Amino acid sequence: MTSQPLFILLCSGEHEKIQMAAMMASVGAVSDRAVHVFVSMNALAAFEKTASPDQRYHGGEFSRLLREKGAPDAIQLFEQGRMLGDLKMYVCSMALDITGWGEDRLVDGLFDEAMGLTKFLSEAESGQFVTL
Amino acid sequence: MAQRTKIDARGAFCPGPLMELIAGLKLIEVGDEIEVWSSDKGSAKDIPEWVAKVGHEMVGVEQCEGYDSIVVRKAK
């Protein structure tokens, strides 16, 4: 049986939510399941390519613990999901317009393309949808 | 004879041991095995679940002192 594709809408800039999105995306993608991630709103800042972990990740107590204990880095998990599985990453074209950022400001090679929400929602009709 | 590669993922948190296993499976031949050492408490259940889903073979899970030894055979 073919698994339903998983669509993750990542809007939050909270480290904990970005970490969970990265875990779901990477594990799903290496489990014979297509995963599509759409990054928008405050989540965008976590994907700036020149950002240090301190600049990239902001959150609560669990964020502190994730970093203190050396949990896998969220950006690296997304990269592993792309390398080892069927993971596609999209950046919200509206978020790029609002911030004035170009795609070249984002982590190199991580995103497939900029996409509008309408197209993402249309593609997501065939799968399971998660918002973080 | 099947070759066995050991991956020491002790100290790595979820999903680190699984991702290391998957990366390792890409490098070995069908029929060969990987033994993952993991101190992550979920690995002993998560890895067999993943193995069953994607069609590899579990050889076994053994509880050791402070970690689990999980052996997987590449089946495809």
Side-chain angles (χ1 to χ4, degrees):
Chain A
M1 187 181 106
T2 305
S3 297
Q4 256 195 327
L6 176 63
F7 292 83
I8 300 173
L9 179 63
L10 177 58
C11 299
S12 175
E14 285 180 45
H15 184 192
E16 292 88 339
K17 291 188 176 182
I18 294 167
Q19 186 77 15
M20 182 52 74
M23 292 168 68
M24 291 176 70
S26 57
V27 173
V30 298
S31 301
D32 287 349
R33 185 173 195 187
V35 180
H36 305 256
V37 177
F38 185 83
V39 174
S40 187
M41 304 295 179
N42 287 330
L44 187 67
F47 294 86
E48 185 173 16
K49 68 179 170 189
T50 57
S52 67
D54 280 341
Q55 295 167 320
R56 202 182 291 287
Y57 302 125
H58 306 279
E61 175 63 8
F62 220 93
S63 171
R64 186 186 67 76
L65 286 170
L66 286 167
R67 298 196 50 205
E68 181 183 300
K69 303 282 186 178
D73 179 83
I75 299 297
Q76 289 177 11
L77 283 175
F78 283 121
E79 290 173 337
Q80 286 178 332
R82 288 179 60 81
M83 185 170 59
L84 300 172
D86 186 3
L87 171 60
K88 291 194 166 46
M89 302 275 299
Y90 309 104
V91 57
C92 172
S93 49
M94 178 278 287
L96 291 178
D97 287 345
I98 292 282
T99 56
W101 288 17
E103 288 179 66
D104 59 353
R105 192 159 168 174
L106 304 172
V107 175
D108 288 330
L110 189 60
F111 288 91
D112 291 87
E113 59 179 306
M115 184 182 281
L117 181 64
T118 304
K119 187 167 192 311
F120 186 73
L121 284 177
S122 174
E123 294 189 357
E125 286 179 9
S126 62
Q128 183 182 14
F129 198 90
V130 174
T131 303
L132 289 166
Chain B
M1 186 177 167
Q3 302 288 312
R4 182 176 289 187
T5 304
K6 188 180 293 179
I7 294 175
D8 187 351
R10 289 176 295 179
F13 291 91
C14 173
L18 173 65
M19 302 305 280
E20 289 192 46
L21 166 67
I22 294 166
L25 283 167
K26 297 228 179 244
L27 303 175
I28 66 172
E29 302 294 326
V30 171
D32 287 348
E33 297 170 353
I34 289 184
E35 177 178 357
V36 182
W37 286 3
S38 176
S39 53
D40 166 55
K41 291 184 175 63
S43 292
K45 290 183 178 173
D46 282 350
I47 288 177
E49 181 72 23
W50 178 83
V51 166
K53 185 169 193 307
V54 303
H56 292 299
E57 294 171 14
M58 277 304 301
V59 176
V61 179
E62 183 184 354
Q63 280 192 322
C64 302
E65 195 165 329
Y67 66 96
D68 292 309
S69 168
I70 304 154
V71 182
V72 177
R73 183 178 298 119
K74 181 170 178 169
K76 62 179 187 177

